[in-house]
Amino acid sequence: MIRKRIFAAFAATLVTAGVVTTAVVTGSEETAAIQPAAATVPAFDHIVLVMFENKKYSSINGSSSAPYFNTLASQSAKFTNSFAITHPSQPNYVALFSGGTQGVTDDSCPANLGSKPNLGRQLIDAGKTFTGYSEAMPSDGYTGCSSGTYRRKHNSWVDFSNVPAASNLRFSKFPTDFTQLPSVAFVTPDMCSDMHDCSIGTGDTWLKNKLDAYAQWAKTHNSLLIVTFDEDSGTSVNQIFTTFTGAHVKVGSYSESINHYTVLRTIEASHGLPGIGNAASKSPILDIWQ
């Protein structure tokens, strides 16, 4: 009992000091496995973020309808307290790309946001590269509001005049040679593949078929895949399913509260960029790296 109390006090002290501790029980003995959080986010060669639509955390986590999402999570850092910013969809896409909703409160199109700061412009100004890939977009550089199963409201980079048209590509241009990917890529599935108009199973199969090869490659090529959702199914909680898969990731479940601004801040930190907007007040995610 004394040993346990001493251990508990020791663990509490380390947590206060910013060190992650894990109790490992072996028979009647307790020992502390001390895992300091990383000092910085790894400087990834490539980060790919894919955003799905309108599903609450519990609809994906452990669901038989989402076998690949859960298989991928078992190879990843899975966040059990990840949240969107608001409802409906469009302001969440804008928030993740620019650190704020920029006054966007609905899905009306077009949202012309001028030259406000955003991740794409940050990367380009720093000598890095950014590309957004949208499934079902009819042509590269397209600025229209909709075409078939494509919707501009899910393509935040086209809203900013300081992001070049060359950064706005069809998903068919996503390279099969992953070394040709930009520093950061955002991927928007179409209205069916993203689960908005079609089933969870449809989106699950799409993710496996389109991005599993990259997820596996990323693990050994200093790269990262972020899978997340724009918002939940419309509840006030707005909890979403989010995973980070790739190099340097300590596989496991993580319970700290994060949101779209935290994810943006982590991407920025990987490239040595300052936080913009509401991301500036967020700390990058540090405890998932090894």
Side-chain angles (χ1 to χ4, degrees), residues 63-272:
S63 171
S64 60
S65 298
Y68 179 71
F69 271 85
N70 287 282
T71 295
L72 187 66
S74 71
Q75 308 165 33
S76 309
K78 179 178 75 173
F79 293 92
T80 59
N81 284 292
S82 176
F83 299 92
I85 302 301
T86 187
H87 299 295
S89 293
Q90 186 166 228
N92 286 294
Y93 285 84
V94 172
L96 181 49
F97 190 65
S98 69
T101 59
Q102 312 303 341
V104 176
T105 59
D106 56 27
D107 287 336
S108 61
C109 181
N112 293 315
L113 303 176
S115 58
K116 293 179 180 179
N118 60 76
L119 177 62
R121 188 69 250 170
Q122 276 188 298
L123 288 161
I124 293 167
D125 287 346
K128 308 286 186 177
T129 50
F130 169 81
T131 303
Y133 297 94
S134 296
E135 187 179 32
M137 191 169 69
S139 60
D140 295 337
Y142 182 72
T143 60
C145 287
S146 65
S147 176
T149 53
Y150 166 80
R151 297 291 184 274
R152 173 171 162 164
K153 65 181 181 178
H154 298 161
N155 176 350
S156 52
W157 43 95
V158 75
D159 296 332
F160 294 88
S161 60
N162 55 359
V163 179
S167 292
N168 181 29
L169 300 183
R170 293 166 289 163
F171 183 62
S172 59
K173 294 290 186 70
F174 192 87
T176 54
D177 176 1
F178 302 134
T179 65
Q180 299 304 304
L181 280 163
S183 308
V184 177
F186 277 23
V187 172
T188 297
D190 70 17
M191 290 287 283
C192 180
S193 304
D194 67 7
M195 306 183 191
H196 186 284
D197 292 348
C198 296
S199 67
I200 290 174
T202 297
D204 188 79
T205 299
W206 186 93
L207 180 60
K208 180 179 181 180
N209 290 344
K210 301 299 185 181
L211 288 173
D212 181 67
Y214 171 74
Q216 304 311 319
W217 179 88
K219 295 175 184 178
T220 54
H221 290 84
N222 192 39
S223 296
L224 184 69
L225 173 65
I226 301 173
V227 176
T228 191
F229 284 73
D230 66 329
E231 58 177 327
D232 76 357
S233 52
T235 78
S236 59
V237 177
N238 221 352
Q239 184 180 8
I240 54 175
F241 190 88
T242 301
T243 55
F244 284 39
T245 314
H248 314 297
V249 172
K250 291 191 290 189
V251 173
S253 293
Y254 294 82
S255 61
E256 66 260 45
S257 180
I258 68 167
N259 63 20
H260 290 326
Y261 299 136
T262 319
V263 173
L264 172 58
R265 184 70 198 96
T266 304
I267 295 170
E268 291 171 319
S270 175
H271 291 288

